[in-house]
Amino acid sequence: MIESKNFTFDKIIPFTLKNSKIRGRFVKLDNSISKILNRHNYVLPIALSLSEILSVSCCIGSLLKFNGNFIIQGSSKEILKTVLADYSSNGSIRAYASYDSKNFENKTLLGFDELMPKGHFAFTAIENKSNKRYQGIIPVQKGNFINSVYYYFKNSEQVNSEIVSFSNNYGKKFISAAILIQKTPSEILGESDDFNLFEEAKLFLNSLTKIELLSSDVSMEDILYKLFNSLDVRVQKEITVKDKCRCSASRVKNTLKQISEDELSKMTLPDGSIDIICEFCKKTTKLTKEYLVSIRN
Ligand SMILES: [Zn+2]
């Protein structure tokens, strides 16, 4: 009998194939997304969708060449109103969703086009230093989220990419993983050789089953070595992923400085104080009447 190793994950492994002709990212999240999803207690189809979006945001976000954030935000006026996954280049992730729960009776297997009719996804990279934003907005595509990701790659990034992603849960324990490969510009090999190489890598990637990708008994490195064995796979330094929010007292202060007196009065409790609850981490910050007066004058 093979002994169960039960690896823990929550990391992103950057890798290359064939002398960097192809670059890739392998992300696998377990404790981090379980903590995030159990804090919110979303219905299962939303929790699994959010897991997948988070994994994809880690894959694309970890390709950024600067320190910053990569955010995937879906918006629509219908069932799933907002879904947001935020990856920071230090490995912190956070996420939330808002939806009409009454719409989820008997609707567990809806595609994103049905969950978010006429909705859109915004893929945004924000550079910390300059606060510069790079954004691609696309209409929500039919079927699963990966179809929207392909639409984004085709229209915004224009890089030949292939991605597989799966999520699952065992009661309160969630697991989600994604592998992304992208063709990089090459000078040594001719275009046709490169084309065949990428097609071969795509075939290998698509042979991976959901059970293999989400297995807790195999290390991420072993999956990569097995999958791309003939393509000289090289793994680079991993990035640890953690459930960590970016909310802060100074951000709350700045927001409260800017909102109108009318909006502020709607939020104010009978004793003149305000409770600010972070949508992501659910942390409550209590601000006294005296403090509110001091920051708004
Ligand atoms: Zn927070």
Side-chain angles (χ1 to χ4, degrees), residues 90 113 116 187 191 209 237:
N90 62 7
D113 52 316
M116 309 173 74
E187 287 164 29
E191 188 60 35
T209 65
K237 193 172 175 279

Side-chain angles (χ1 to χ4, degrees), residues 172-184:
K172 293 255 174 210
K173 189 164 169 44
F174 288 84
I175 186 154
S176 179
I179 301 181
L180 167 71
I181 53 169
Q182 286 191 329
K183 200 169 150 179
T184 55

Side-chain angles (χ1 to χ4, degrees), residues 39 94 244-248 277-283:
R39 189 180 296 135
R94 59 181 193 164
K244 193 167 185 294
C245 194
R246 289 198 279 130
C247 63
S248 69
I277 303 166
C278 175
E279 293 255 40
F280 292 95
C281 67
K282 297 281 170 202
K283 194 177 118 188

